[in-house]
């Protein structure tokens, strides 16, 4: 976690330094490149992103709850496609990677018939219990910003959707005596949800609301309750040209 924070902080500093450079000022006016930029004022923004978020699970079965800080990280590339001459409106289509952890008292047990889920009632009997997922993600954004070619500090509102495919899912239960860790195939492979990223300059708020369940249909928890948890993510996202 600390390594991710240092990595994000370093890239943020690089971004801040790069945003102070005026493209037209560093190109001599007599060159063809300067003339081409002057005749073609369109430009692209925010084509790389990094983010860190906190994960909330909604609709837990009765008696289950989150009991530690669940976090996630995301990063990737978005192709910025301006829609108007001023480049204040654009589409963003990209690809990226996401890691998410979910700490709770809902433990998965591997059995001969698949998986069984029980509620851990004694918090002192274990150190941590979590489910983690690794995803390939495809963000799709409709973008508004009040930037110009010469202005790199601007307001932005990016709304849209994000589609994900889980390429790895693992349940892990840790006590002082042993560790129980295994791949959990009960999670839903294909995920999708609504996103909203709002902010100014480097720091922007990130929201993701999942529209489908984390687990596959028909996966039952304690007392036969179907596991219908969905995901809400809140965090920060950093954009880099």
């Amino acid at each position: 976690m600390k390594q991710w924070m240092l990595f994000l902080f370093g890239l943020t500093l690089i971004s801040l330094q790069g945003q102070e450079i005026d493209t037209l000022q560093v190109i001599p006016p007599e060159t063809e490149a300067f003339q081409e930029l002057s005749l073609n004022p369109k430009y692209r923004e925010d084509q790389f992103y990094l983010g860190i978020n906190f994960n909330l699970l909604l609709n837990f079965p009765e008696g289950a709850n989150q009991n530690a800080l669940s976090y996630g990280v995301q990063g990737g590339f978005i192709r910025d496609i301006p829609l108007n001459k001023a480049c204040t409106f654009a589409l963003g289509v990209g690809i990226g990677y996401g890691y998410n952890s979910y700490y709770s008292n809902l433990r998965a047990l591997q059995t001969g018939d698949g998986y069984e889920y029980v509620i851990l009632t004694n918090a002192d009997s274990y150190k941590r219990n979590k489910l983690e997922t690794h995803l390939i993600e495809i963000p799709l954004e409709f973008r508004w910003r009040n930037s110009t070619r010469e202005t790199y500090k601007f307001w932005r509102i990016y709304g849209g959707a994000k589609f994900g495919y889980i390429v790895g899912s693992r349940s892990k239960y840790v006590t002082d005596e042993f560790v129980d860790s295994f791949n959990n195939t009960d999670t839903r492979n294909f995920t999708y949800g609504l996103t909203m990223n709002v902010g100014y300059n480097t720091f922007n708020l990130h929201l993701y609301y999942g529209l489908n369940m984390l687990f596959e249909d028909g996966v039952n928890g304690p007392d036969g309750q179907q596991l219908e948890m969905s995901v809400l993510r809140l965090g920060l996202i950093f954009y880099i040209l």
Side-chain angles (χ1 to χ4, degrees), residues 105-141:
N105 65 344
L106 184 65
R107 181 187 175 188
L109 297 170
Q110 195 171 27
T111 69
D113 298 325
Y115 307 98
E116 179 183 348
Y117 295 89
V118 298
I119 295 177
L120 302 171
T121 56
N122 185 2
D124 296 329
S125 64
Y126 63 99
K127 297 177 65 176
R128 60 184 178 272
N129 176 69
K130 72 172 181 176
L131 172 71
E132 63 180 28
T133 61
H134 301 262
L135 301 94
I136 301 298
E137 299 181 322
I138 299 177
L140 176 62
E141 299 176 347

Side-chain angles (χ1 to χ4, degrees), residues 11 15 19 23 42-51 74-83 87 90-97 137-141 143 145 147 149 152 154 156 158 197 201-202 204 237-241:
L11 287 177
S15 175
Q19 289 176 354
T23 305
K42 283 194 174 182
Y43 58 92
R44 304 181 188 278
E45 291 284 7
D46 299 343
Q47 298 201 93
F48 293 91
Y49 67 93
L50 287 168
Q74 58 175 314
F77 171 81
I78 294 183
R79 180 65 170 176
D80 188 79
I81 307 170
L83 297 178
C87 299
L91 284 177
V93 182
I95 187 167
Y97 163 80
E137 299 181 322
I138 299 177
L140 176 62
E141 299 176 347
R143 298 175 150 197
R145 62 276 181 119
S147 64
R149 184 184 289 278
Y152 296 98
F154 53 86
R156 59 172 65 80
Y158 297 167
N197 303 314
N201 196 20
T202 302
N204 304 271
I237 190 167
F238 307 86
Y239 287 106
I240 303 170
L241 290 175

Side-chain angles (χ1 to χ4, degrees), residues 158-192:
Y158 297 167
K162 180 179 284 187
F163 305 90
Y165 187 83
I166 293 181
V167 295
S169 180
R170 177 169 291 272
S171 291
K172 190 172 185 178
Y173 174 77
V174 180
T175 71
D176 291 330
E177 290 77 26
F178 71 97
V179 175
D180 184 19
S181 179
F182 53 87
N183 293 328
N184 189 331
T185 58
D186 273 350
T187 53
R188 187 180 300 272
N189 289 334
F190 180 66
T191 68
Y192 57 90

Side-chain angles (χ1 to χ4, degrees), residues 52-58 74 100 102 135-140 158 160-166 188-198 205-214 230-237:
I52 184 168
N53 48 267
F54 302 108
N55 298 323
L56 300 174
L57 286 176
L58 310 177
Q74 58 175 314
N100 293 287
Y102 307 96
L135 301 94
I136 301 298
E137 299 181 322
I138 299 177
L140 176 62
Y158 297 167
K162 180 179 284 187
F163 305 90
Y165 187 83
I166 293 181
R188 187 180 300 272
N189 289 334
F190 180 66
T191 68
Y192 57 90
L194 301 177
T195 61
M196 179 66 71
N197 303 314
V198 179
L205 297 177
H206 169 71
L207 169 67
Y208 172 89
Y209 178 75
L211 295 178
N212 61 349
M213 295 184 297
L214 178 62
S230 58
V231 178
L232 176 66
R233 299 185 187 122
L234 302 170
L236 293 175
I237 190 167

Side-chain angles (χ1 to χ4, degrees), residues 56-77:
L56 300 174
L57 286 176
L58 310 177
N59 302 321
F60 264 109
E62 185 177 352
N65 54 70
Q66 289 185 245
N67 55 11
L69 183 62
S70 302
Y71 66 91
V73 293
Q74 58 175 314
F77 171 81

